[in-house]
Amino acid sequence: RKEVEQDPGPFNVPEGATVAFNCTYSNSASQSFFWYRQDCRKEPKLLMSVYSSGNEDGRFTAQLNRASQYISLLIRDSKLSDSATYLCVVTFSGNTGKLIFGQGTTLQVKP
Amino acid sequence: NAGVMQNPRHLVRRRGQEARLRCSPMKGHSHVYWYRQLPEEGLKFMVYLQKENIIDESGMPKERFSAEFPKEGPSILRIQQVVRGDSAAYFCASSPGTSTNEKLFFGSGTQLSVL
C-alpha cells in the first residue's frame, strides 16, 4: 500500500465550479500535512499547510481527519489558472523532515 | 536572495554514460533533499544530506547512484552507467533546519533523458 494515495484524475471542471480532492495516508504517526501545486512538471510549490482545525486561504479550504487518516482540498469558484496537479504531502515523526508525496491529482478547468 | 539553483536544466545522456546533477541550496540552508519524479508519477524521496554528511539515503537505488554535499560547493547527485529507466525529473530542495513544519524550497529540477 502506498504511503500517500490520491485519485490521479483528471478532474475536468468548468470555470466557477467547486471541486474537491481527497487523499489518504497509511502511517498513523504522520505529523505534518500539506498541499503542493505542480504546473507542467515544474518544481512543486507549497499551496497550504493542513491542520486538524481546518484552514482556509481565499478560495482554498483544507481539512484533516486524523481518525480516518484523510486529507481534503476544496477549491471554490475555479479559475483557468487553477489548472495544475495538486500533490498531497505528509511528513511523520522522526522522518528527518523529508516529505512523502502522493502521485498527484490533475485538475483541468475549462472556459 | 537566490532560490535553490539546479543545473543543468536538461541533460541528455546515452546508455552507459555518467550523469552529474548539481544543486546549490538557498543561502543559509545547510539541508539538502533530492527527489525523483518518473513520468506520470509523484515525487519520490531519494536522499537527505547535510554538509559533508548523508543523513538518510533510504530512497536511493542500491547501485549506480550516489550523492554528496561537500563543505564547499553544490550538492551533487551522480548516476553511473545510466539506463533508460533513469530518465526522469530530478528535483533538489533545501531547508535551514529539520523541523517537520519547516518549508522546503525546491529548485526548478533537472530533466534527465537517457537515449
Side-chain angles (χ1 to χ4, degrees), chain A residues 7 10 12 21 26 34 39 47 50 64 89-90 92 98 101:
Chain A
D7 179 349
N12 294 300
F21 304 138
S26 60
F34 310 93
D39 293 83
L47 182 64
V50 189
L64 166 65
V89 182
V90 307
F92 52 90
K98 73 187 184 192
F101 285 82

Side-chain angles (χ1 to χ4, degrees), chain A residues 10 21 30 37 39 45 60 90-91 94 98 104-105 108:
Chain A
F21 304 138
S30 294
R37 169 184 170 140
D39 293 83
K45 295 183 179 177
F60 297 82
V90 307
T91 69
K98 73 187 184 192
T105 298
Q108 186 67 46

